[in-house]
Amino acid sequence: MNQNFSKFKQRIAGFTLFTTILISANASAEWSIVNLGASYLSGAGDSDALAINNSGQVAGVFTPKYSENPKAFLIDLDGEGFTTLGTLSDPGTAFPTDFATEINDSGQVVGFSRTVGGRDHAFITGPNGVGIIDLGTLGGLDSAAYGVNNSGQVVGESYMPGNTSRHAFITGPNSIGMTDLGTLGGTYSGAGGINDSGQVAGNSSISGDTATHAFITGPNGIGMTDLGTLGGTHSFASGINNFGQVVGASTTVDGNRHAFITGSNGEDMTDLGTMGADFSFAFDINNLGQAIGIAGFDGCSYCENSFVYSDGVMVNLSKLDEVISSGWTHLLARDINDHGQIVGYGILHGVTQAFLLSGADDKDFFRNYVETPMIPEPQTYAMLLAGLGLLGFMAQRRKKFNLS
């Protein structure tokens, strides 16, 4: 640093640093994290929250103690507490498995469940998780649902007749019927999310099956548009909001994988970067344009921490004071609602637990967030005095269950 700073400039530097620290600390004061496993899943072993709606209902999976078979659950944060969802299995099935993957605002949950015949089928429940309906397949043995909108349209993927390929599907409103969405020219496609106009986001192999590209459809699943890549070979879409903004990940020119976000209707794929390493993946996006996902961070390319992206800023959720002081590590954010509530799983006292993290609705936090306050060099003072002294950083659905 230049040793010829005047005392005046040194005072400005000290004041700026002090102010930055205060604003950063105060901005994060509204964040809070709740252990959903301990609060609602009494007697459970591991737990994972995969989806949250705007009504404060959370869907996910847990493994009962002394069992290896996951069960789907619904938690109503403002009402009835915890409910185990139904199953498509016969009660005497040796290895029943049920996964909940998404929920709409009326509490209809989708996912997949082991059937009486021993196959995994996509399902949807009634409102508030009551009842369970087998959605069948596109002619193959297995299927899984990964998205549902507020009209009850369901999307996912299913094996085709012969079980040699899988295709994305969409149902009609109220989950009636199952329609093959086709592909971008290859043999595989899968749908990861759907918005309230029926636009679907997902992935498909392209001609020759040499690569997989993210896609978006028009309303009600009509048409399939290739979203391209960030310069690499592959891209994957995992979430979509009501404006048609899509998130996911793409390989880059240098072979790394970066999270992306698009503009409305899937236009203009933008690289979200990372948190200092060479990897990131966005899982979901809410209607405010806030995205969540995972990314490697500086100094540890293979270490993955969860992030929330908002207003051009990517924040490492595992580094929040509230998360650290509560003892949580290895957070994996799965979903975010329009109130800035984030759900997923993390490690707490050596156990994998579902969590609810609140605070992403605090716009001041993102506007003022500074990961590491720095004392500026002389040439930055003009910007500081112009009101640009608080420098943000630009860096950087859920995990999909593969059908066997």
Side-chain angles (χ1 to χ4, degrees), residues 31-51:
W31 287 84
S32 63
I33 187 166
V34 175
N35 182 352
L36 296 178
S39 299
Y40 293 93
L41 306 177
S42 177
D46 294 341
S47 59
D48 185 0
L50 283 95

Side-chain angles (χ1 to χ4, degrees), residues 133-149:
I133 299 171
D134 186 341
L135 295 179
T137 74
L138 290 173
L141 293 177
D142 297 276
S143 62
Y146 297 131
V148 59
N149 65 14

Side-chain angles (χ1 to χ4, degrees), residues 229-273:
T229 73
L230 293 172
T233 305
H234 303 281
S235 60
F236 311 87
S238 53
I240 185 171
N241 67 15
N242 283 339
F243 299 99
Q245 287 183 286
V246 178
V247 293
S250 170
T251 52
T252 60
V253 174
D254 55 11
N256 294 324
R257 186 165 59 174
H258 284 194
F260 72 78
I261 187 172
T262 74
S264 299
N265 299 312
E267 297 179 355
D268 301 323
M269 183 183 290
T270 299
D271 188 342
L272 291 185

